[in-house]
Amino acid sequence: MARNEEKAQSMLNRFVTMKEDEKKKPKERRPFLASECRDLAEADRWRQQILREIGKKVSEIQNEGFGEHRLRDLNDEINKLIREKSHWERRILELGGPNYTKQSAKMTDLDGNIVDVPNPSGRGPGYRYFGAAKKLPGVRELFEKPPELRKRRTRYDIYRRIDASYYGYRDEEDGVLGKLEGPAEEAMRAAAVAEWEMLDEIKREARKAVKSGEVAAVGSDVRAILYEEEEEVVEEERRKEMEEDEGVLKKEFVVHVPLPDEKEIERMIVEKKKKELLSKYTSDELLQEQTEAKAMLNIQR
């Protein structure tokens, strides 16, 4: 009995389920063309349905265990749904609804950076890659940035950056150079004044010794100064000797043998060329007869 009751109960359950299904309205299919929809609420409902389908497939495509063909098929289906969603969004905008195109999500690379969607045709949202499809062979290269080539600077780019500060005309504007040069300039001036005073004192002592006829004692400082002056004198004499030697070499060379001028050289070259042409096209006998004829006629050419 128990088995028959269980069977009846299962048949009853089936009957009740069938009656409930009959009471429900038949499932509506989404219109193939968005332009066929005339109701704004219906268009928004179909858009929400497409969004749920996209979310479901995007969660599926995150699984890297699927094969390459399955991932590519899922990615194609998601892109097809995205194109359909854009059609419904345009239809919603035509029916007076909100503009959903401004809130569209951006595509990111493997590092999460926003990248441009490849769209060669220029129409529609373009083809996107989701989840594990970004790591497929041939797709990963699309998201990798090409190495930046260092552009060689031209001469124009180099000269364009050169201004007055490059030549040092603005070095004193910030005041740093003045602070650094001030102490050094004072030290050099003090050293020059001390040297001049020492030389002046030595000269005065030398004059006094000459006037009195005494022999003055020469210190180490005086020896160094005298040695420097002697070196300057020797250098000056050496420079004068070199100038005299150069002057001797630069003297005009006198030729004692008369040399031919340009006209004489030109005349000799022309005569030589004439002789070469005559020897080429005439014989020795003809030349001898021509010479005898010129001698008889007294022609000096």
Side-chain angles (χ1 to χ4, degrees):
M1 288 296 291
R3 291 182 62 84
N4 293 334
E5 288 177 1
E6 289 174 4
K7 289 180 181 179
Q9 186 68 20
S10 64
M11 292 178 64
L12 180 61
N13 288 337
R14 291 176 186 174
F15 179 77
V16 172
T17 304
M18 182 182 68
K19 288 296 182 181
E20 288 178 356
D21 292 340
E22 288 179 357
K23 290 180 183 178
K24 291 180 181 179
K25 293 182 179 179
K27 290 184 178 181
E28 296 184 36
R29 294 188 63 183
R30 189 166 61 240
F32 183 73
L33 297 176
S35 58
E36 296 177 357
C37 183
R38 306 293 179 181
D39 188 11
L40 178 60
E42 288 292 324
D44 192 78
R45 184 166 65 87
W46 296 127
R47 177 181 174 276
Q48 293 295 332
Q49 184 184 11
I50 294 171
L51 286 175
R52 287 192 294 272
E53 293 179 6
I54 291 173
K56 183 180 177 181
K57 292 185 180 298
V58 168
S59 62
E60 290 180 8
I61 205 173
Q62 302 299 327
N63 187 1
E64 298 182 5
F66 290 150
E68 180 181 349
H69 298 289
R70 176 60 178 160
L71 290 174
R72 290 187 185 275
D73 292 341
L74 277 173
N75 203 76
D76 292 339
E77 292 173 6
I78 293 171
N79 279 276
K80 184 179 178 181
L81 290 171
I82 289 174
R83 287 195 297 271
E84 190 175 353
K85 179 176 73 71
S86 64
H87 296 329
W88 284 104
E89 287 175 351
R90 284 198 297 271
R91 183 58 182 166
I92 290 171
L93 189 61
E94 291 173 359
L95 294 174
N99 187 7
Y100 292 109
T101 56
K102 294 181 180 180
Q103 303 173 2
S104 59
K106 305 293 184 181
M107 188 173 68
T108 58
D109 57 4
L110 297 173
D111 298 330
N113 302 319
I114 297 175
V115 296
D116 297 331
V117 180
N119 188 12
S121 64
R123 298 178 298 176
Y127 195 87
R128 299 166 182 258
Y129 292 93
F130 299 89
K134 295 179 181 179
K135 300 180 181 180
L136 292 175
V139 181
R140 184 187 293 270
E141 289 77 6
L142 297 175
F143 296 97
E144 292 179 354
K145 294 182 180 179
E148 296 182 358
L149 298 176
R150 187 175 180 181
K151 187 179 179 182
R152 185 176 180 181
R153 290 194 303 170
T154 60
R155 189 179 294 273
Y156 171 75
D157 295 333
I158 295 172
Y159 284 129
R160 189 177 59 180
R161 300 168 183 258
I162 294 176
D163 52 3
S165 59
Y166 176 81
Y167 295 100
Y169 295 131
R170 297 179 182 173
D171 291 346
E172 299 180 358
E173 291 183 359
D174 54 358
V176 177
L177 189 61
K179 293 179 181 179
L180 296 175
E181 287 184 348
E185 185 179 354
E186 292 178 359
M188 291 174 65
R189 186 175 295 150
V193 171
E195 184 179 356
W196 179 82
E197 289 178 351
M198 184 176 63
L199 287 173
D200 188 54
E201 185 179 356
I202 291 170
K203 290 178 182 178
R204 279 191 276 106
E205 290 179 357
R207 290 194 192 97
K208 290 180 181 178
V210 170
K211 288 181 180 179
S212 61
E214 298 176 356
V215 178
V218 179
S220 61
D221 297 336
V222 178
R223 286 196 187 94
I225 294 170
L226 293 176
Y227 183 73
E228 290 178 0
E229 292 180 355
E230 185 178 355
E231 281 189 345
E232 291 177 359
V233 172
V234 172
E235 187 67 26
E236 184 68 21
E237 292 178 355
R238 189 177 298 168
R239 187 176 58 80
K240 288 181 179 180
E241 290 178 359
M242 291 176 65
E243 289 179 357
E244 290 176 358
D245 295 340
E246 289 179 358
V248 171
L249 293 174
K250 289 181 180 178
K251 287 183 179 181
E252 186 177 358
F253 182 72
V254 179
V255 181
H256 301 282
V257 180
L259 295 175
D261 54 358
E262 293 182 0
K263 292 182 178 180
E264 186 68 20
I265 294 171
E266 186 177 355
R267 188 182 62 78
M268 294 170 66
I269 292 171
V270 171
E271 289 181 358
K272 185 177 181 181
K273 288 184 177 181
K274 283 182 179 180
K275 289 180 179 179
E276 290 177 355
L277 290 172
L278 288 173
S279 63
K280 186 176 181 181
Y281 296 104
T282 59
S283 60
D284 296 338
E285 296 178 357
L286 185 60
L287 289 175
Q288 187 176 1
E289 291 177 359
Q290 186 179 2
T291 305
E292 292 177 356
K294 285 183 180 180
M296 292 175 62
L297 297 173
N298 197 13
I299 297 174
Q300 302 294 331
R301 287 190 305 174

